[in-house]
């Protein structure tokens, strides 16, 4: 008993064929049980790009520096504004 997969290629050409024995899937005793134990459905809130990468997580990683700078300056100027308001009241 073995499982044969063909990797997806976006251009429609024949993908790379690989064969895996059931020893690679310890939770399954037969090939029919592999999807039940090893395949899950994933939900992506903003979808995926053409390579299947999650867009929300990529956006959060990309904006983390901008958010850090923004929160720093909000904190800095709000503290300075309170300080100046107390001094020149």
């Amino acid at each position: 008993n073995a499982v044969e997969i063909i990797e997806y290629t976006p251009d429609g050409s024949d993908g790379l064929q690989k064969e895996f024995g059931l020893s690679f899937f310890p939770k399954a005793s037969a090939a029919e049980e592999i999807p039940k134990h090893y395949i899950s459905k994933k939900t992506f809130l903003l979808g995926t790009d053409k390579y299947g990468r999650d867009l929300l997580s990529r956006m959060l990683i990309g904006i983390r520096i901008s958010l850090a700078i923004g929160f720093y300056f909000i904190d800095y100027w709000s503290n300075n504004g309170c300080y100046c308001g107390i001094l020149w009241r």
Side-chain angles (χ1 to χ4, degrees):
N1 281 339
V3 176
E4 182 179 319
I5 65 164
I6 301 172
E7 290 186 2
Y8 172 75
T9 56
D11 61 359
S13 63
D14 292 336
L16 179 63
Q17 294 183 0
K18 295 181 180 179
E19 190 171 306
F20 298 98
L22 286 179
S23 61
F24 282 97
F25 308 100
K27 294 180 186 175
S29 59
E32 293 79 23
E33 294 179 7
I34 292 173
K36 180 174 70 172
H37 294 292
Y38 292 96
I39 298 177
S40 62
K41 181 178 178 182
K42 303 212 185 254
T43 302
F44 302 102
L45 295 177
L46 295 180
T48 59
D49 63 4
K50 68 179 183 176
Y51 300 110
R53 299 177 295 199
D54 180 26
L55 290 179
L56 177 62
S57 62
R58 293 178 61 79
M59 278 182 18
L60 291 175
I61 288 170
I63 64 172
R64 66 182 174 197
I65 303 252
S66 298
L67 284 175
I69 292 170
F71 284 128
Y72 170 77
F73 279 105
I74 287 171
D75 183 51
Y76 177 79
W77 286 112
S78 63
N79 287 337
N80 281 345
C82 290
Y83 180 69
C84 291
I86 290 170
L87 282 180
W88 292 298
R89 186 172 171 202

